[in-house]
Amino acid sequence: MNALLRLVGARMEDQRKLFLMAPVFFVCGIAEMLNYNSFMTLFNQRFGSEYLPYVYAAEAVILPLEAWLLAWLAAKLPKPKLMRVMFGMLLGIVAACTALLIVLAMLKADARWFYPVLFIASSFVVRQQTILLWSLAVDLCPTQQAKRLMPLFVGAATLGGVAAGLLAQLISLVWGPEAIYAAGLALLLIAWPNYRRVIATYLVPLSLKLAASGGDNAQEETISAGAVFKQALRSPFLLTVILLMTFMPGLYFLMEYEFLNVARESTGSEQQFSRYFGLVTTVLFILAFLLQLISGKLMAKLGASHMLTVISAIYVLSFGGAALFIDSAAALPVISLGYMLLYLLLYYTAEPSYQLFFKTLPLAQRDSYRYAAQGIAASAGILIGAALQFMHAGLGVSWTMLSIVGLIGAVLLLLLAWYGRRLYMRELVRSVSTMSAADMAESVEEISRSSEALAEVKKLLKHPLASAKEIALQIIGRLQNPKDLPELLPLLNDDHYRIRIEALRAMNLEQADLQALVKIASFLEDPDDELRIEGVKAIARMKHMEEQAFFFLRQKLLDRHPGVVAESVKAMYSFNRAQSYEACAEVIERILTAGGEAAVYMCRAVAELKLDAYIPQLLNMLGDMHPAARVAAAESLGKLGHAELAPILIDSLPFMDEEMLAASVQAFIAIGPASVEPLLESLPAASPKHWGAAVRALSALMDEDEVRGTLAERGVGRLAELQHAAAYSGSLRAIGRDDLAVLAAMRWQEARKFLFVGLWSVLSRLGDEAAVSHIRTALESDDEETRSNAQEVLAEGFGERRLSQAMAALMELRAPEAGSVIAENAASILEGAKRGNDEWWREMAAAALNDNSGGGGMTSEGLMMSRLNKVVFLKQVPYFGDLSLEELGLIANVAIEETVSDEETLLRRGESHSAMYVIVDGNIELTSVSAAGWEGTIGVLGPGDVCGVTSALDGTPSTVTAQSLLGDAKVLKLSGDDVSRLIRLYPEIGMGLLRASFARIRLLEEMLMRIDS
């Protein structure tokens, strides 16, 4: 399967969408062309092709009404329902037309009035069926996936057209065009189940209402057709594009008219016409398939503007051939070939035409301009085509003269495309700043093929605005032409530092001289760190002056900024010299041994250079005090593929902060298959945090069948355990331990969050990553309907049925049921908790079963609180209220219980203190001196209050004196060093304490104001 997917340019993650959607495109492609073959045959043979201008004129009038109807439906219905309703509408129209055709055939009735109706209705079906399928495919596929799958979908639809041509010829041998039309209906019915399945699997999750999130519901800027037309009149470029999009279909309709009439005159009967039309369809889609194989390469080679020029030239050749041979015996093959080419290219016109909009308009306006311009061009194009047809049908212009008129129009089209290309290049240069990185890369390639566009870019280098210069430098930098160096060197003297940086990045220095080297080397002493880094990178590119470059780079190994040093090491290694390695070794060793934040840059350099010799130093850094150093060490060891890292990280997973946890997951993935076995072995006894992180890594490392069979199955089992654990809180409450019941409920919520992190990655692998993102966002919404819709998607079996349904059931439990456990059952439930894989539930259950009086945790010797009792107490302290249970446990581990004698001083005003205190029992009086010189009590703190925070954490003198009042007091002492260390290791603790500190500062300010009053 992997080999097959690689053969067609797809990946494993594309497999499900490809296998679901490609058959829909193939079958609907057959149905579309069968319908087209049938209604065109019936109209031309039974009503008359000379009436085509009138039918097209009617269609031009109907198109705005059609657009209004579809816009109204889109506003009323959610996207999945709209897609289903539209497909149902198309099925209904085709079914009604089929029924009428069969009835008329059975009655042998000559109802000529019906065939224009059939033409317009079936034309609507063919048009909307194409839009419907492509809209669905675009909605389902992210940008990069779309680039891989869209050509395959096009290929499937094209092969469907080939099959339709062959099928139409076979059917016409026995039956008439009515049977061909009915076959189209049957194929649409065959495609319906897969179409519904695609919507249910992918589109429903993607279309969840995310009003609360604001991201997906942001109102996009919309532009009416009238506004687009007014804007186009003011912009020669936009007007040219819209005119191209208008004249091409207009000229196509003229060629179609000539083809239908010539074919009708050359074929003797309706059956022969249908067979010939089927033959043309077969040849047409074989050509389309062949073109599809090379269209991507053509677009990449020629670019959108050149592509339109080439297409316009083919229009000229087609009408030239028609003008020469319309009255000869070769009329039918020549006109048929012209018709096929124009039919084929009309569809391919859309892609380069829309690229002009997409590459030159701001993101928010692209779709609005596209659809408005499409509406204008479609209506106007049909009217132009009808008017050209009417020259023959109504005014009697000869076929030769009509072909000459078409040739003149095609020549004008070619001139318009040539002029539009010049305008496009100017607009492209101006609009690069609004593009994504991918769009910009494609646009730069197109600019590089045009000397006019390059000239426009270089003009911007002298623009007074720094932003314009920056855009030009980014484009030139992508081109990397050594000949641009003389124009870039003067920009190194620019006043704006961003211009100097971009100029350094843009230079191709492979042929630079010594003067350029000296100029760039001057930046190595610049006070700006980023400029020095870019200077090092630039000198590293001067491989042809190795000795001189080495001289400057070696000096930067002693730079004050670790980023510059790391870049210097990478630059020196790029010269592949023993002297370079020796110079760098001491520096790398020193920085990694010292550790800390400065070592982060060097860790990344070591990983990039694949320097396995420094693995021991990186392993030591896993225990570094600085969080960023630990993260960088884990990331680097993962990139180096150090398999022994996996068990080390696995042991530490339960104690990691979020950043280190994410880095560890990526390290497991980078190590590869060697991580799978130890991660799987750790799952049965893993805590929730450990389990979620391990499953995230395994979801990326295991193949899809293993993820479905192993991880999904284990996930269902783990969720069943969590469902059972919902009773722990109620059990603790039933035996009188309300304090522990609160913690058990808190832990249940935390455990669900940790487990779901891993399970979402499983569903992403088995379903669709974008859909999972939408579901998760919807589940976190404050809007009840939004949450309900997301839960319904899970309940329907998204990704993996059993797993998603189990997750949906857990999502409905906003909090564990507290009143559903009776005292008789509580003990047995808690005995089960003691044997579980979560240390907190084990500890809570053991404490409750050993002593359910509520006072457990104190020892007779010292009346000391256990860790669990400290956590129970700290949870009730507002200062620590924002912390999770795990974070409270870390605080409890470093908290020392002390007794403070009556009137004993804890803090003294004006002195620094190394600890903060949480009052457990008793009273602590706070006194201070106001700005007016008054000394007095500013407050009395009781159980749950905190004092001494500021002095303990930043070493500043205390602003108050604190001492015990009216008897002894019990406190929990937290060393400032211990708390600071925890904050460094677990930044979430710091954020929680910071919020509490702000509230405390406001309270103290109010107290001080009371003294003065």
PDB file of all heavy atoms in Angstrom, residues 248 299 302 304-318 341-342 344-353 410 413-414 417:
ATOM      1  N   MET A 248     -12.921  33.920 -22.774  1.00  0.00           N
ATOM      2  CA  MET A 248     -12.611  32.517 -23.055  1.00  0.00           C
ATOM      3  C   MET A 248     -13.862  31.647 -23.126  1.00  0.00           C
ATOM      4  O   MET A 248     -14.044  30.899 -24.088  1.00  0.00           O
ATOM      5  CB  MET A 248     -11.606  31.986 -22.033  1.00  0.00           C
ATOM      6  CG  MET A 248     -10.183  32.454 -22.307  1.00  0.00           C
ATOM      7  SD  MET A 248      -8.988  31.667 -21.233  1.00  0.00           S
ATOM      8  CE  MET A 248      -7.451  32.311 -21.924  1.00  0.00           C
ATOM      9  N   MET A 299       2.433  24.141 -15.359  1.00  0.00           N
ATOM     10  CA  MET A 299       2.135  25.315 -14.536  1.00  0.00           C
ATOM     11  C   MET A 299       3.386  25.773 -13.799  1.00  0.00           C
ATOM     12  O   MET A 299       3.658  26.964 -13.689  1.00  0.00           O
ATOM     13  CB  MET A 299       1.019  24.978 -13.546  1.00  0.00           C
ATOM     14  CG  MET A 299       0.575  26.153 -12.700  1.00  0.00           C
ATOM     15  SD  MET A 299      -0.325  27.392 -13.649  1.00  0.00           S
ATOM     16  CE  MET A 299      -1.899  26.582 -13.814  1.00  0.00           C
ATOM     17  N   LEU A 302       5.808  27.245 -16.652  1.00  0.00           N
ATOM     18  CA  LEU A 302       5.369  28.451 -17.354  1.00  0.00           C
ATOM     19  C   LEU A 302       4.857  29.536 -16.413  1.00  0.00           C
ATOM     20  O   LEU A 302       4.989  30.717 -16.708  1.00  0.00           O
ATOM     21  CB  LEU A 302       4.273  28.094 -18.367  1.00  0.00           C
ATOM     22  CG  LEU A 302       4.665  27.118 -19.483  1.00  0.00           C
ATOM     23  CD1 LEU A 302       3.449  26.791 -20.343  1.00  0.00           C
ATOM     24  CD2 LEU A 302       5.770  27.720 -20.343  1.00  0.00           C
ATOM     25  N   ALA A 304       1.395  31.015 -14.032  1.00  0.00           N
ATOM     26  CA  ALA A 304      -0.014  31.261 -14.343  1.00  0.00           C
ATOM     27  C   ALA A 304      -0.178  32.176 -15.549  1.00  0.00           C
ATOM     28  O   ALA A 304      -0.989  31.917 -16.446  1.00  0.00           O
ATOM     29  CB  ALA A 304      -0.707  31.857 -13.122  1.00  0.00           C
ATOM     30  N   SER A 305       0.577  33.276 -15.609  1.00  0.00           N
ATOM     31  CA  SER A 305       0.380  34.252 -16.681  1.00  0.00           C
ATOM     32  C   SER A 305       0.811  33.687 -18.037  1.00  0.00           C
ATOM     33  O   SER A 305       0.126  33.874 -19.049  1.00  0.00           O
ATOM     34  CB  SER A 305       1.156  35.533 -16.368  1.00  0.00           C
ATOM     35  OG  SER A 305       2.538  35.253 -16.224  1.00  0.00           O
ATOM     36  N   HIS A 306       1.936  32.970 -18.094  1.00  0.00           N
ATOM     37  CA  HIS A 306       2.370  32.355 -19.345  1.00  0.00           C
ATOM     38  C   HIS A 306       1.389  31.259 -19.783  1.00  0.00           C
ATOM     39  O   HIS A 306       1.161  31.058 -20.977  1.00  0.00           O
ATOM     40  CB  HIS A 306       3.769  31.754 -19.188  1.00  0.00           C
ATOM     41  CG  HIS A 306       4.864  32.774 -19.222  1.00  0.00           C
ATOM     42  ND1 HIS A 306       5.281  33.442 -18.095  1.00  0.00           N
ATOM     43  CD2 HIS A 306       5.619  33.251 -20.244  1.00  0.00           C
ATOM     44  CE1 HIS A 306       6.252  34.279 -18.419  1.00  0.00           C
ATOM     45  NE2 HIS A 306       6.487  34.186 -19.708  1.00  0.00           N
ATOM     46  N   MET A 307       0.827  30.557 -18.800  1.00  0.00           N
ATOM     47  CA  MET A 307      -0.124  29.498 -19.113  1.00  0.00           C
ATOM     48  C   MET A 307      -1.339  30.074 -19.844  1.00  0.00           C
ATOM     49  O   MET A 307      -1.818  29.509 -20.829  1.00  0.00           O
ATOM     50  CB  MET A 307      -0.560  28.805 -17.828  1.00  0.00           C
ATOM     51  CG  MET A 307      -1.259  27.490 -18.039  1.00  0.00           C
ATOM     52  SD  MET A 307      -0.093  26.172 -18.449  1.00  0.00           S
ATOM     53  CE  MET A 307      -1.162  24.751 -18.297  1.00  0.00           C
ATOM     54  N   LEU A 308      -1.831  31.199 -19.371  1.00  0.00           N
ATOM     55  CA  LEU A 308      -2.985  31.830 -20.018  1.00  0.00           C
ATOM     56  C   LEU A 308      -2.625  32.297 -21.432  1.00  0.00           C
ATOM     57  O   LEU A 308      -3.453  32.235 -22.339  1.00  0.00           O
ATOM     58  CB  LEU A 308      -3.472  33.013 -19.179  1.00  0.00           C
ATOM     59  CG  LEU A 308      -4.194  32.647 -17.881  1.00  0.00           C
ATOM     60  CD1 LEU A 308      -4.469  33.890 -17.053  1.00  0.00           C
ATOM     61  CD2 LEU A 308      -5.492  31.917 -18.170  1.00  0.00           C
ATOM     62  N   THR A 309      -1.415  32.750 -21.601  1.00  0.00           N
ATOM     63  CA  THR A 309      -0.980  33.180 -22.940  1.00  0.00           C
ATOM     64  C   THR A 309      -0.929  31.997 -23.893  1.00  0.00           C
ATOM     65  O   THR A 309      -1.373  32.095 -25.053  1.00  0.00           O
ATOM     66  CB  THR A 309       0.408  33.844 -22.854  1.00  0.00           C
ATOM     67  OG1 THR A 309       0.377  34.891 -21.875  1.00  0.00           O
ATOM     68  CG2 THR A 309       0.813  34.438 -24.183  1.00  0.00           C
ATOM     69  N   VAL A 310      -0.416  30.864 -23.433  1.00  0.00           N
ATOM     70  CA  VAL A 310      -0.358  29.659 -24.270  1.00  0.00           C
ATOM     71  C   VAL A 310      -1.766  29.192 -24.616  1.00  0.00           C
ATOM     72  O   VAL A 310      -2.060  28.832 -25.762  1.00  0.00           O
ATOM     73  CB  VAL A 310       0.434  28.546 -23.544  1.00  0.00           C
ATOM     74  CG1 VAL A 310       0.304  27.215 -24.281  1.00  0.00           C
ATOM     75  CG2 VAL A 310       1.895  28.938 -23.419  1.00  0.00           C
ATOM     76  N   ILE A 311      -2.668  29.204 -23.635  1.00  0.00           N
ATOM     77  CA  ILE A 311      -4.047  28.793 -23.884  1.00  0.00           C
ATOM     78  C   ILE A 311      -4.691  29.711 -24.921  1.00  0.00           C
ATOM     79  O   ILE A 311      -5.396  29.253 -25.832  1.00  0.00           O
ATOM     80  CB  ILE A 311      -4.853  28.799 -22.564  1.00  0.00           C
ATOM     81  CG1 ILE A 311      -4.374  27.652 -21.659  1.00  0.00           C
ATOM     82  CG2 ILE A 311      -6.346  28.664 -22.831  1.00  0.00           C
ATOM     83  CD1 ILE A 311      -4.960  27.670 -20.267  1.00  0.00           C
ATOM     84  N   SER A 312      -4.436  31.004 -24.816  1.00  0.00           N
ATOM     85  CA  SER A 312      -4.990  31.959 -25.785  1.00  0.00           C
ATOM     86  C   SER A 312      -4.455  31.673 -27.188  1.00  0.00           C
ATOM     87  O   SER A 312      -5.187  31.796 -28.187  1.00  0.00           O
ATOM     88  CB  SER A 312      -4.639  33.389 -25.373  1.00  0.00           C
ATOM     89  OG  SER A 312      -5.171  33.688 -24.095  1.00  0.00           O
ATOM     90  N   ALA A 313      -3.189  31.292 -27.280  1.00  0.00           N
ATOM     91  CA  ALA A 313      -2.611  30.962 -28.586  1.00  0.00           C
ATOM     92  C   ALA A 313      -3.309  29.743 -29.195  1.00  0.00           C
ATOM     93  O   ALA A 313      -3.531  29.675 -30.409  1.00  0.00           O
ATOM     94  CB  ALA A 313      -1.117  30.710 -28.438  1.00  0.00           C
ATOM     95  N   ILE A 314      -3.685  28.770 -28.363  1.00  0.00           N
ATOM     96  CA  ILE A 314      -4.401  27.590 -28.864  1.00  0.00           C
ATOM     97  C   ILE A 314      -5.790  27.989 -29.352  1.00  0.00           C
ATOM     98  O   ILE A 314      -6.296  27.425 -30.339  1.00  0.00           O
ATOM     99  CB  ILE A 314      -4.464  26.511 -27.776  1.00  0.00           C
ATOM    100  CG1 ILE A 314      -3.051  26.008 -27.474  1.00  0.00           C
ATOM    101  CG2 ILE A 314      -5.353  25.351 -28.200  1.00  0.00           C
ATOM    102  CD1 ILE A 314      -2.951  25.049 -26.313  1.00  0.00           C
ATOM    103  N   TYR A 315      -6.425  28.964 -28.703  1.00  0.00           N
ATOM    104  CA  TYR A 315      -7.695  29.498 -29.202  1.00  0.00           C
ATOM    105  C   TYR A 315      -7.511  30.044 -30.625  1.00  0.00           C
ATOM    106  O   TYR A 315      -8.349  29.816 -31.511  1.00  0.00           O
ATOM    107  CB  TYR A 315      -8.199  30.621 -28.286  1.00  0.00           C
ATOM    108  CG  TYR A 315      -9.098  30.163 -27.166  1.00  0.00           C
ATOM    109  CD1 TYR A 315      -8.603  29.436 -26.092  1.00  0.00           C
ATOM    110  CD2 TYR A 315     -10.450  30.474 -27.169  1.00  0.00           C
ATOM    111  CE1 TYR A 315      -9.407  29.027 -25.052  1.00  0.00           C
ATOM    112  CE2 TYR A 315     -11.279  30.067 -26.129  1.00  0.00           C
ATOM    113  CZ  TYR A 315     -10.754  29.346 -25.071  1.00  0.00           C
ATOM    114  OH  TYR A 315     -11.582  28.941 -24.062  1.00  0.00           O
ATOM    115  N   VAL A 316      -6.417  30.775 -30.833  1.00  0.00           N
ATOM    116  CA  VAL A 316      -6.142  31.337 -32.164  1.00  0.00           C
ATOM    117  C   VAL A 316      -6.000  30.217 -33.194  1.00  0.00           C
ATOM    118  O   VAL A 316      -6.579  30.278 -34.286  1.00  0.00           O
ATOM    119  CB  VAL A 316      -4.877  32.212 -32.129  1.00  0.00           C
ATOM    120  CG1 VAL A 316      -4.497  32.654 -33.534  1.00  0.00           C
ATOM    121  CG2 VAL A 316      -5.089  33.427 -31.229  1.00  0.00           C
ATOM    122  N   LEU A 317      -5.226  29.182 -32.857  1.00  0.00           N
ATOM    123  CA  LEU A 317      -5.027  28.070 -33.793  1.00  0.00           C
ATOM    124  C   LEU A 317      -6.339  27.345 -34.088  1.00  0.00           C
ATOM    125  O   LEU A 317      -6.599  26.961 -35.236  1.00  0.00           O
ATOM    126  CB  LEU A 317      -4.008  27.082 -33.213  1.00  0.00           C
ATOM    127  CG  LEU A 317      -2.567  27.603 -33.077  1.00  0.00           C
ATOM    128  CD1 LEU A 317      -1.693  26.569 -32.370  1.00  0.00           C
ATOM    129  CD2 LEU A 317      -1.988  27.943 -34.453  1.00  0.00           C
ATOM    130  N   SER A 318      -7.173  27.164 -33.064  1.00  0.00           N
ATOM    131  CA  SER A 318      -8.429  26.441 -33.253  1.00  0.00           C
ATOM    132  C   SER A 318      -9.364  27.197 -34.195  1.00  0.00           C
ATOM    133  O   SER A 318      -9.951  26.610 -35.124  1.00  0.00           O
ATOM    134  CB  SER A 318      -9.120  26.216 -31.903  1.00  0.00           C
ATOM    135  OG  SER A 318      -8.315  25.416 -31.057  1.00  0.00           O
ATOM    136  N   LEU A 341     -10.242  20.785 -27.829  1.00  0.00           N
ATOM    137  CA  LEU A 341      -9.170  21.582 -27.218  1.00  0.00           C
ATOM    138  C   LEU A 341      -9.736  22.707 -26.363  1.00  0.00           C
ATOM    139  O   LEU A 341      -9.291  22.946 -25.238  1.00  0.00           O
ATOM    140  CB  LEU A 341      -8.260  22.152 -28.302  1.00  0.00           C
ATOM    141  CG  LEU A 341      -7.333  21.161 -29.005  1.00  0.00           C
ATOM    142  CD1 LEU A 341      -6.596  21.836 -30.153  1.00  0.00           C
ATOM    143  CD2 LEU A 341      -6.338  20.568 -28.020  1.00  0.00           C
ATOM    144  N   LEU A 342     -10.743  23.413 -26.880  1.00  0.00           N
ATOM    145  CA  LEU A 342     -11.304  24.538 -26.136  1.00  0.00           C
ATOM    146  C   LEU A 342     -12.092  24.070 -24.923  1.00  0.00           C
ATOM    147  O   LEU A 342     -12.066  24.714 -23.867  1.00  0.00           O
ATOM    148  CB  LEU A 342     -12.179  25.407 -27.050  1.00  0.00           C
ATOM    149  CG  LEU A 342     -11.439  26.590 -27.711  1.00  0.00           C
ATOM    150  CD1 LEU A 342     -10.230  26.122 -28.508  1.00  0.00           C
ATOM    151  CD2 LEU A 342     -12.381  27.379 -28.606  1.00  0.00           C
ATOM    152  N   LEU A 344     -11.466  21.384 -23.247  1.00  0.00           N
ATOM    153  CA  LEU A 344     -10.441  20.958 -22.303  1.00  0.00           C
ATOM    154  C   LEU A 344      -9.781  22.143 -21.621  1.00  0.00           C
ATOM    155  O   LEU A 344      -9.630  22.196 -20.392  1.00  0.00           O
ATOM    156  CB  LEU A 344      -9.401  20.137 -23.060  1.00  0.00           C
ATOM    157  CG  LEU A 344      -8.305  19.427 -22.276  1.00  0.00           C
ATOM    158  CD1 LEU A 344      -8.882  18.421 -21.324  1.00  0.00           C
ATOM    159  CD2 LEU A 344      -7.347  18.752 -23.254  1.00  0.00           C
ATOM    160  N   LEU A 345      -9.394  23.134 -22.409  1.00  0.00           N
ATOM    161  CA  LEU A 345      -8.648  24.268 -21.866  1.00  0.00           C
ATOM    162  C   LEU A 345      -9.531  25.219 -21.073  1.00  0.00           C
ATOM    163  O   LEU A 345      -9.034  25.965 -20.228  1.00  0.00           O
ATOM    164  CB  LEU A 345      -7.955  25.020 -23.003  1.00  0.00           C
ATOM    165  CG  LEU A 345      -6.866  24.217 -23.726  1.00  0.00           C
ATOM    166  CD1 LEU A 345      -6.336  24.996 -24.924  1.00  0.00           C
ATOM    167  CD2 LEU A 345      -5.729  23.878 -22.772  1.00  0.00           C
ATOM    168  N   LEU A 346     -10.853  25.189 -21.340  1.00  0.00           N
ATOM    169  CA  LEU A 346     -11.747  26.056 -20.573  1.00  0.00           C
ATOM    170  C   LEU A 346     -11.677  25.717 -19.088  1.00  0.00           C
ATOM    171  O   LEU A 346     -11.682  26.600 -18.233  1.00  0.00           O
ATOM    172  CB  LEU A 346     -13.187  25.902 -21.082  1.00  0.00           C
ATOM    173  CG  LEU A 346     -14.223  26.833 -20.439  1.00  0.00           C
ATOM    174  CD1 LEU A 346     -13.905  28.287 -20.773  1.00  0.00           C
ATOM    175  CD2 LEU A 346     -15.627  26.478 -20.896  1.00  0.00           C
ATOM    176  N   TYR A 347     -11.579  24.418 -18.775  1.00  0.00           N
ATOM    177  CA  TYR A 347     -11.464  24.009 -17.380  1.00  0.00           C
ATOM    178  C   TYR A 347     -10.090  24.364 -16.818  1.00  0.00           C
ATOM    179  O   TYR A 347      -9.962  24.778 -15.667  1.00  0.00           O
ATOM    180  CB  TYR A 347     -11.711  22.507 -17.250  1.00  0.00           C
ATOM    181  CG  TYR A 347     -13.175  22.149 -17.368  1.00  0.00           C
ATOM    182  CD1 TYR A 347     -13.740  21.807 -18.589  1.00  0.00           C
ATOM    183  CD2 TYR A 347     -13.999  22.175 -16.250  1.00  0.00           C
ATOM    184  CE1 TYR A 347     -15.087  21.498 -18.690  1.00  0.00           C
ATOM    185  CE2 TYR A 347     -15.347  21.865 -16.343  1.00  0.00           C
ATOM    186  CZ  TYR A 347     -15.886  21.526 -17.561  1.00  0.00           C
ATOM    187  OH  TYR A 347     -17.222  21.224 -17.660  1.00  0.00           O
ATOM    188  N   TYR A 348      -9.060  24.202 -17.635  1.00  0.00           N
ATOM    189  CA  TYR A 348      -7.714  24.507 -17.152  1.00  0.00           C
ATOM    190  C   TYR A 348      -7.449  26.007 -17.098  1.00  0.00           C
ATOM    191  O   TYR A 348      -6.474  26.446 -16.492  1.00  0.00           O
ATOM    192  CB  TYR A 348      -6.660  23.803 -18.018  1.00  0.00           C
ATOM    193  CG  TYR A 348      -6.539  22.349 -17.659  1.00  0.00           C
ATOM    194  CD1 TYR A 348      -7.296  21.394 -18.317  1.00  0.00           C
ATOM    195  CD2 TYR A 348      -5.718  21.931 -16.621  1.00  0.00           C
ATOM    196  CE1 TYR A 348      -7.214  20.048 -17.971  1.00  0.00           C
ATOM    197  CE2 TYR A 348      -5.629  20.605 -16.264  1.00  0.00           C
ATOM    198  CZ  TYR A 348      -6.387  19.669 -16.942  1.00  0.00           C
ATOM    199  OH  TYR A 348      -6.314  18.352 -16.587  1.00  0.00           O
ATOM    200  N   THR A 349      -8.309  26.776 -17.753  1.00  0.00           N
ATOM    201  CA  THR A 349      -8.195  28.233 -17.645  1.00  0.00           C
ATOM    202  C   THR A 349      -8.450  28.688 -16.224  1.00  0.00           C
ATOM    203  O   THR A 349      -7.867  29.658 -15.741  1.00  0.00           O
ATOM    204  CB  THR A 349      -9.206  28.925 -18.586  1.00  0.00           C
ATOM    205  OG1 THR A 349      -8.959  28.499 -19.911  1.00  0.00           O
ATOM    206  CG2 THR A 349      -9.080  30.428 -18.505  1.00  0.00           C
ATOM    207  N   ALA A 350      -9.355  27.976 -15.541  1.00  0.00           N
ATOM    208  CA  ALA A 350      -9.761  28.407 -14.210  1.00  0.00           C
ATOM    209  C   ALA A 350      -8.586  28.466 -13.244  1.00  0.00           C
ATOM    210  O   ALA A 350      -8.416  29.445 -12.520  1.00  0.00           O
ATOM    211  CB  ALA A 350     -10.837  27.457 -13.676  1.00  0.00           C
ATOM    212  N   GLU A 351      -7.746  27.417 -13.262  1.00  0.00           N
ATOM    213  CA  GLU A 351      -6.663  27.377 -12.283  1.00  0.00           C
ATOM    214  C   GLU A 351      -5.684  28.541 -12.428  1.00  0.00           C
ATOM    215  O   GLU A 351      -5.444  29.263 -11.454  1.00  0.00           O
ATOM    216  CB  GLU A 351      -5.923  26.041 -12.354  1.00  0.00           C
ATOM    217  CG  GLU A 351      -4.854  25.915 -11.277  1.00  0.00           C
ATOM    218  CD  GLU A 351      -4.146  24.575 -11.308  1.00  0.00           C
ATOM    219  OE1 GLU A 351      -4.528  23.710 -12.123  1.00  0.00           O
ATOM    220  OE2 GLU A 351      -3.205  24.414 -10.515  1.00  0.00           O
ATOM    221  N   PRO A 352      -5.123  28.786 -13.600  1.00  0.00           N
ATOM    222  CA  PRO A 352      -4.219  29.945 -13.698  1.00  0.00           C
ATOM    223  C   PRO A 352      -4.940  31.273 -13.485  1.00  0.00           C
ATOM    224  O   PRO A 352      -4.358  32.203 -12.925  1.00  0.00           O
ATOM    225  CB  PRO A 352      -3.645  29.838 -15.112  1.00  0.00           C
ATOM    226  CG  PRO A 352      -4.541  28.924 -15.854  1.00  0.00           C
ATOM    227  CD  PRO A 352      -5.127  27.991 -14.850  1.00  0.00           C
ATOM    228  N   SER A 353      -6.200  31.374 -13.907  1.00  0.00           N
ATOM    229  CA  SER A 353      -6.930  32.626 -13.699  1.00  0.00           C
ATOM    230  C   SER A 353      -7.094  32.916 -12.219  1.00  0.00           C
ATOM    231  O   SER A 353      -6.876  34.034 -11.742  1.00  0.00           O
ATOM    232  CB  SER A 353      -8.308  32.559 -14.371  1.00  0.00           C
ATOM    233  OG  SER A 353      -8.183  32.439 -15.765  1.00  0.00           O
ATOM    234  N   ALA A 410     -10.168  35.571 -30.897  1.00  0.00           N
ATOM    235  CA  ALA A 410      -9.061  34.819 -30.293  1.00  0.00           C
ATOM    236  C   ALA A 410      -7.764  35.613 -30.328  1.00  0.00           C
ATOM    237  O   ALA A 410      -6.968  35.564 -29.376  1.00  0.00           O
ATOM    238  CB  ALA A 410      -8.895  33.489 -31.018  1.00  0.00           C
ATOM    239  N   LEU A 413      -7.959  38.069 -27.690  1.00  0.00           N
ATOM    240  CA  LEU A 413      -7.750  37.358 -26.428  1.00  0.00           C
ATOM    241  C   LEU A 413      -6.260  37.146 -26.167  1.00  0.00           C
ATOM    242  O   LEU A 413      -5.782  37.321 -25.035  1.00  0.00           O
ATOM    243  CB  LEU A 413      -8.477  36.015 -26.480  1.00  0.00           C
ATOM    244  CG  LEU A 413      -8.448  35.158 -25.209  1.00  0.00           C
ATOM    245  CD1 LEU A 413      -9.269  35.808 -24.110  1.00  0.00           C
ATOM    246  CD2 LEU A 413      -8.980  33.760 -25.497  1.00  0.00           C
ATOM    247  N   LEU A 414      -5.510  36.787 -27.203  1.00  0.00           N
ATOM    248  CA  LEU A 414      -4.076  36.580 -27.069  1.00  0.00           C
ATOM    249  C   LEU A 414      -3.375  37.881 -26.686  1.00  0.00           C
ATOM    250  O   LEU A 414      -2.510  37.900 -25.805  1.00  0.00           O
ATOM    251  CB  LEU A 414      -3.505  36.033 -28.381  1.00  0.00           C
ATOM    252  CG  LEU A 414      -1.994  35.782 -28.419  1.00  0.00           C
ATOM    253  CD1 LEU A 414      -1.581  34.771 -27.370  1.00  0.00           C
ATOM    254  CD2 LEU A 414      -1.564  35.315 -29.812  1.00  0.00           C
ATOM    255  N   ALA A 417      -4.140  38.584 -23.062  1.00  0.00           N
ATOM    256  CA  ALA A 417      -3.359  37.727 -22.166  1.00  0.00           C
ATOM    257  C   ALA A 417      -1.911  38.211 -22.078  1.00  0.00           C
ATOM    258  O   ALA A 417      -1.301  38.196 -21.005  1.00  0.00           O
ATOM    259  CB  ALA A 417      -3.408  36.277 -22.664  1.00  0.00           C
TER     260      ALA A 417
END
